């Protein structure tokens, strides 16, 4: 079942990228870079081993205190608490905890609730082992002019770009991007382009649905890219009921929008049918492309700038058998742009694609992680990969086949050929809830030493990662 | 143009004939032509005057209709007016269903660049509109006098009659006096100065700035013309531009996220902008409100008389998401104005935290007339019904009445509004329900094409096919056995409970082996039943009226819904299981679903395909004429969210 051969071209590409990295960090203290590979290029990076993974966790009726919480897992193998939950911070209510994102300085973690539209801002820098609830934005809908469901919280310099999923008029999929300052003040609302108000954008095909989901930026191309999922009605509805509701099934996003990053104006709307979700942009300085996967049509799409400087969308690979609804969810690109992890929620598989030729991704292995799987985060060097299980409160499975885990946090190492299981935390058995998105924390970011690992304390260094990449080979 | 001029002369209306003579004699003089045409009695006219462009051919090619936008300039004012029969109505009652061209005139006015210009241009515009009846039918002219003393309804009738071609929709209105007139003039920024020198006092000379307004179906002013700008050609293109806007992809009658044609790979979005989802407030009810054609008076409980203050308060509450336990749900999240005050996007509703609701959200239109509420008929007054959704665990999820009251009290804007609506009374279970009931009670919609045809004796109000459909409705198809049609009015419901078999089918049928699921425009997959079952919660059962009475004979009985505005309220049946009217007709044509408790009225009908089409066509004639106005009004209500006042 596990294919483990890695193409020679892939190896070459890894080596190429590694050499660039070495060049870039030559002037820095001798420590390996480690971080998620899917974060904002504006964001500071951890130097050294990540110490914690912050898991934004949904409360569930009948489980523990039934409310959403930020769960801190110790993931530093050198720590005496390695593999343990070291903190759990309940925030009150079930808000449909979903995605979270760090500010560019990594001092604060913004975690959104897709149902109540609250945004919880955690201070993760004062004590990385014990995040504090710093502020709650509870008037997001009012401030934004009716945007519901803050999803991606994406770091831009000094501010957060937040994608909405829905609106307070019909609970459908038309929505907007909403901009906040790092201190939590509302800045602006940028509505997703619709036929009635294209906002200056060009329709490349038939569609301008106004839906939203994820956002990523390619600063050196002055480009911001958004994808499109569905509105509150659908993401809050029981999944089986949804599949049986023909009208509701028509209300999924089918577009990716290319924006002018600087002016926040939509430039071009690309037809990408079947609910394109996570967007992961390549890191290589000449790689002007991003990947997304469509949840319903189960494909990998390449969003790329062609030789004429035009942005295009192309379906480049199938993910499993669409009729079995594998439901590709989170994806993660390796730092050298050679590998793409694709989690398929319904079958609990972590699939690995060789994307060294971005126009021809090839699936090279599948790993059964649990009864269902959603998010994954890998360290910058790709050697550690973490998985969680929950997708949406009313979409999650309620039963697991014998021997398969249902709601979990799992830690693996990746040795270049296979995943090696390190530890798991059963979030139901621990009465925590349904684990969703993961973000990394480390003392080294803030010039601090790990209190329990004196010997390996990192020098105080903060590296804006975008500079790292630019220095390593600018255009 | 020549013909129009000749026709004009041939009609030999003294005033206008005189003006034409005057126009020939007038010399060029720049002073009096500008943005304003100042009406003076003819005797006071300067010796020479340049005639406004509206009298001539346009000197430039008007911009092409639809090639430009007319940004809304604010709400068209309302007020009480009198028609030529002396009957009182309101300006807003004459707006909303058509594009309206409104001008202010007075019958004795004789300045060539004043009222006569306005009326002349409108007459010319009328002729142009009549060349394309489909376009002309969507337009209404209103000429309103600002001289209520001299311009009685009879005077306005005499004045206006010669101008109206055939049955063109042109109203010559006046007011009962200055107290009704002045607020109207003020709202339109029409400054009127009476000449103090005039010996005729109130009936004497009137100076005013000539303005003609184009008002869209959302009651918004979209253009204002003055004497130097007024011309039939430009106005015609403005009207066409607005009609293209309203007849085209952007409508108030359907979801803003338009998905028609989604089954095809060629599907094109017609998504409307939420930022531009702005409306115009309407006068929903006044103490002298009269039901529209085809509707009876609103039944109002003695203990909760309607007042504008209660309606206004209820309207705010209806759109306030803070009325749910976690501030995510207002009444309007399921009863969405542009979706027929129901939800076109869901078969059965989804409540707080995404909890499953078993049944389709019913429309609020004409809910005042129902004496049994909810699909199972378990409530009998709106005032009581209101607390059902507020407290239901799977709807708005409030744990107690007290919490709702405290929540409302905590919003700064509410206590003073409650005091206005209910002087001296506390914010309480009673006042909250009375306010909400009052708003819903006035969402009355009638005067549909059917009503105008059946009760208004407008022979052409329904098409031949619709008329054939009506005969089937009351005849062979037997629909009117439950969807009653009355002599003076019709609610299209008997307000009774029936078993058609659709509930039986839901309860008793086996899980299908597979389900076809659409995954993208024109793209479906067939999903195995067990895959769907794995993703499903246990299906909640629904036994209809039996759940209330526990009488086994009442299993799967549901309330007959009204059919008014039925094209706006898809999907259909208590469970939203039929997505189109065609499917509904087909269901009844097959005799529903057989079961031992099936209503004897439900039987195979033997309708041909053509007859089924005729029935559907008839159902399309049941849409009230004020739908756009009610929806546009709803759009003006601020959605109550955390942090709102």
């Amino acid at each position: 079942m596990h294919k483990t051969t890695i193409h020679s071209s892939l190896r070459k590409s890894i080596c190429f990228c590694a050499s660039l990295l070495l060049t870039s960090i030559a002037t820095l203290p001798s420590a390996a870079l480690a971080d998620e590979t899917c974060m904002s290029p504006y964001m500071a990076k951890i130097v050294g081993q990540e110490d914690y993974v912050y898991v934004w966790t949904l409360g569930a009726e009948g489980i523990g205190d039934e409310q959403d919480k930020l769960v801190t897992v110790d993931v530093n193998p050198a720590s005496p608490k390695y593999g343990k939950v070291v903190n759990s911070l309940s925030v009150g209510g079930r808000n449909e905890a979903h995605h979270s994102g760090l500010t560019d300085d990594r001092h604060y973690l913004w975690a959104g609730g897709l149902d109540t539209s609250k945004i919880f801002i955690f201070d993760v820098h004062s004590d990385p082992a014990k995040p504090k609830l710093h502020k709650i934005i509870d008037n997001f809908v009012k401030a934004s002019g009716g945007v519901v469901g803050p999803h991606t919280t994406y770091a831009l310099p000094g501010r957060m770009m937040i994608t909405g999923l829905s609106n307070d008029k019909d609970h459908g999929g038309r929505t907007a991007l909403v901009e906040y300052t790092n201190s939590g003040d509302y800045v602006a609302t940028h509505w997703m382009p619709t036929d009635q108000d294209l906002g200056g954008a060009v329709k490349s095909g038939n569609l301008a649905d106004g839906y939203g989901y994820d956002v990523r930026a390619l600063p050196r191309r002055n480009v911001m890219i958004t994808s499109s999922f569905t509105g509150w009605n659908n993401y809050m509805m029981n999944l089986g009921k949804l599949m049986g509701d023909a009208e509701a099934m028509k209300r999924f996003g089918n577009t990716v929008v290319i924006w002018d990053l600087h002016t926040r104006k939509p430039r071009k709307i690309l037809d990408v049918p079947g609910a394109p979700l996570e967007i992961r942009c390549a890191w290589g300085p000449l790689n002007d492309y991003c990947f997304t996967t469509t949840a319903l049509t189960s494909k990998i799409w390449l969003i790329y700038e062609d030789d004429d400087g035009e942005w295009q969308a192309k379906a480049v690979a199938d993910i499993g058998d669409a009729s079995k609804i594998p439901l590709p969810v989170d994806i993660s690109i390796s730092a050298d742009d050679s590998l793409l992890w694709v989690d398929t929620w319904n079958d609990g598989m972590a699939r690995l694609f060789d994307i060294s030729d971005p126009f021809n991704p090839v699936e090279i292995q599948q790993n059964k992680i649990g009864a269902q799987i959603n998010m994954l985060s890998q360290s910058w060097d790709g050697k550690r990969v973490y998985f969680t299980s929950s997708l949406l409160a009313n979409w999650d499975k309620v039963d697991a086949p014998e021997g398969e885990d249902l709601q979990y946090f799992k830690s693996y190492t990746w040795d270049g050929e296979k995943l090696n299981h390190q530890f798991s935390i059963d979030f139901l058995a621990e009465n925590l809830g349904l684990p969703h998105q993961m973000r990394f924390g480390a003392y080294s970011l803030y010039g601090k030493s790990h209190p329990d690992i004196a010997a390996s304390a990192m020098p105080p260094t903060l590296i804006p990662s975008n500079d790292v990449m630019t220095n390593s080979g600018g255009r | 143009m020549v013909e129009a001029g000749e026709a004009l002369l041939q009609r030999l209306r003294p005033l206008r004939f005189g003006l034409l003579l005057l126009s020939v004699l007038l010399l060029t003089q720049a002073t009096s032509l500008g943005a304003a045409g100042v009406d003076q009695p003819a005797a006071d006219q300067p010796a020479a005057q340049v005639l406004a462009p509206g009298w001539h051919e346009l000197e430039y090619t008007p911009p092409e209709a639809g090639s430009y936008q007319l940004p809304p300039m604010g709400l068209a004012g309302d007020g009480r007016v009198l028609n030529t029969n002396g009957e009182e109505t309101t300006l807003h009652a004459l707006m909303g269903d058509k594009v309206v061209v409104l001008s202010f005139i007075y019958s004795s006015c004789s300045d060539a660049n004043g009222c006569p210009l306005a009326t002349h241009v409108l007459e010319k515009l009328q002729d142009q509109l009549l060349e394309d009846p489909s376009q002309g039918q969507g337009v209404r002219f209103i000429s309103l006098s600002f001289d209520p003393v001299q311009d009685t309804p009879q005077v306005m009738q005499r004045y206006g009659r010669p101008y109206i071609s055939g049955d063109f929709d042109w109203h010559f209105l006046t007011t009962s006096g200055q107290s009704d007139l002045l607020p109207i003039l003020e709202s339109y920024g029409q400054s009127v100065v009476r000449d103090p020198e005039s010996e005729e006092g109130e009936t004497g000379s009137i100076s005013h700035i000539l303005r003609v307004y184009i008002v869209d179906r959302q009651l918004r002013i979209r253009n204002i013309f003055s004497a130097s700008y007024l011309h039939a050609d430009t106005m015609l293109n403005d009207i066409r531009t607005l009609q293209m806007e309203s007849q085209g992809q952007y409508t108030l009658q359907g979801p803003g996220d338009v998905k028609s044609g989604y089954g095809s790979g060629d599907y094109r979005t017609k998504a409307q902008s939420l930022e531009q989802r702005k409306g115009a407030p309407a006068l929903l009810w006044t103490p002298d409100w009269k039901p529209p054609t085809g509707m009876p008076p609103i039944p109002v409980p003695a203990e909760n008389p309607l007042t504008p203050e209660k309606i206004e308060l209820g309207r705010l509450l209806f759109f306030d998401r803070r009325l749910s336990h976690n501030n995510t749900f207002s009444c309007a999240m399921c009863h969405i104005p542009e979706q027929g005050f129901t939800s076109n996007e869901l078969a059965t509703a989804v409540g707080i935290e995404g909890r499953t609701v078993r049944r389709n959200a019913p429309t609020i239109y004409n809910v005042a007339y129902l004496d049994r509420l909810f699909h199972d008929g378990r409530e009998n007054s709106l005032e009581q019904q209101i607390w059902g959704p507020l407290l239901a665990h799977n709807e708005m999820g409030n744990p107690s009445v007290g919490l709702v009251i405290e929540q409302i009290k905590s919003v700064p804007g509410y206590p003073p509004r409650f005091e206005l609506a209910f002087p001296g009374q506390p914010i309480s279970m009673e006042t909250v329900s009375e306010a909400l009931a009052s708003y819903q009670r006035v969402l009355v919609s009638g005067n549909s094409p059917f009503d105008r045809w059946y009760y208004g004796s407008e022979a052409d109000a329904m098409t031949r096919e619709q008329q054939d459909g009506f005969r089937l409705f009351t005849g062979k198809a037997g629909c009117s056995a439950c969807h009653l049609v009355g002599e003076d009015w019709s609610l299209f419901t008997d307000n009774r409970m029936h078993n058609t078999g659709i509930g039986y089918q839901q309860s008793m049928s086996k899980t299908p082996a597979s389900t076809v699921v659409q995954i993208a425009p024109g793209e479906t997959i067939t999903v195995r039943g067990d895959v769907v079952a794995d993703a499903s919660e246990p299906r909640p059962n629904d036994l209809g009226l039996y759940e209330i009475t526990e009488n086994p004979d009442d299993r799967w009985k549901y309330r007959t819904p009204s059919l008014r505005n039925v094209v706006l309220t898809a999907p259909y049946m208590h469970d939203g299981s039929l997505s189109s009217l065609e499917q509904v007709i087909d269901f009844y044509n097959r005799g529903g679903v057989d079961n031992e408790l099936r209503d004897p009225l439900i039987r195979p009908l033997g309708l041909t395909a053509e007859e089924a089409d005729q029935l559907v066509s008839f159902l399309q004639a049941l849409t009230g004429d004020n739908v756009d106005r009610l929806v546009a009004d709803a759009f003006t209500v601020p959605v109550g969210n955390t942090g709102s006042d």
Side-chain angles (χ1 to χ4, degrees), chain B residues 531-566:
Chain B
V531 175
V532 178
D534 276 354
S536 303
E537 65 196 336
R539 188 174 63 188
N541 209 349
D542 189 344
L543 302 177
L545 180 63
Y546 166 83
E547 294 178 4
I548 314 306
T549 64
E550 296 193 324
N551 176 350
D553 291 344
D554 288 341
R555 281 173 288 168
W556 305 300
K557 281 186 178 176
Y558 299 91
R559 180 175 53 78
T560 309
S562 172
L563 298 180
R564 290 190 170 276
N565 294 335
V566 72

Side-chain angles (χ1 to χ4, degrees), chain B residues 113-153:
Chain B
N113 287 343
C115 322
L117 168 70
T119 310
H120 166 72
V121 169
L122 290 199
E123 191 185 27
K124 201 174 148 194
L125 182 60
Q126 173 185 242
D127 292 341
Q128 293 177 353
L129 285 166
L130 284 173
E131 287 172 17
D132 179 359
S134 67
Q135 210 156 52
Q137 282 166 9
V139 183
R140 177 177 295 128
F141 291 175
I142 298 175
S143 295
L144 173 61
S145 169
F146 45 74
D147 186 2
V149 176
Q150 200 161 53
D151 289 344
T152 61

Side-chain angles (χ1 to χ4, degrees), chain B residues 404-422:
Chain B
V404 178
I405 304 301
E406 289 309 310
Q407 171 81 321
I408 293 172
K409 281 182 182 169
S410 74
V411 176
Y414 277 128
R417 286 179 182 281
F418 271 84
E419 184 54 33
L420 266 180
F422 303 99

